[in-house]
Amino acid sequence: LLRYMDYLEDVPSLNLRTGAREIIDTDVLFPQTQAISWSLSDEGVVSVEFGEGKLIITALAAGKCTLKVSDGAYLYKNIEINVSR
């Protein structure tokens, strides 16, 4: 358990403009994880896709939301996202 303690911290906030994309390598969030799940506090602000070990976040509208990403088991990270015009 102690070797994973570094991975329990939240990720720095993302600041995006409407229409912009951010790509996050999930190996940075959860090394050696095969399953990833996520939830959004507001699906109108950003969309999220997952493929080939990467989360693709697309800013849809101005606002704020939280993206909660999980390793599919017990670990999770929150990413605060701010979208401006």
Side-chain angles (χ1 to χ4, degrees), residues 30 33-38 69-76:
F30 307 108
T33 297
Q34 296 178 5
I36 295 289
S37 63
W38 67 89
V69 184
S70 172
D71 69 344
Y74 302 104
L75 300 177
Y76 69 90

Side-chain angles (χ1 to χ4, degrees), residues 5-35:
M5 291 303 288
D6 289 340
Y7 302 109
L8 297 177
E9 295 179 13
D10 288 344
V11 178
S13 298
L14 292 179
N15 295 302
L16 303 172
R17 291 194 177 270
T18 304
R21 284 192 168 175
E22 181 77 21
I23 299 173
I24 299 175
D25 188 340
T26 57
D27 284 342
V28 172
L29 299 175
F30 307 108
Q32 301 177 355
T33 297
Q34 296 178 5

Side-chain angles (χ1 to χ4, degrees), residues 27-57:
D27 284 342
V28 172
L29 299 175
F30 307 108
Q32 301 177 355
T33 297
Q34 296 178 5
I36 295 289
S37 63
W38 67 89
S39 63
L40 285 168
S41 64
D42 188 340
E43 294 180 3
V45 176
V46 299
S47 67
V48 179
E49 299 172 54
F50 176 72
E52 298 182 18
K54 299 188 183 337
L55 284 171
I56 302 166
I57 302 166

Side-chain angles (χ1 to χ4, degrees), residues 15-21 58-60 82-85:
N15 295 302
L16 303 172
R17 291 194 177 270
T18 304
R21 284 192 168 175
T58 303
L60 302 175
N82 299 301
V83 177
S84 61
R85 293 183 182 198

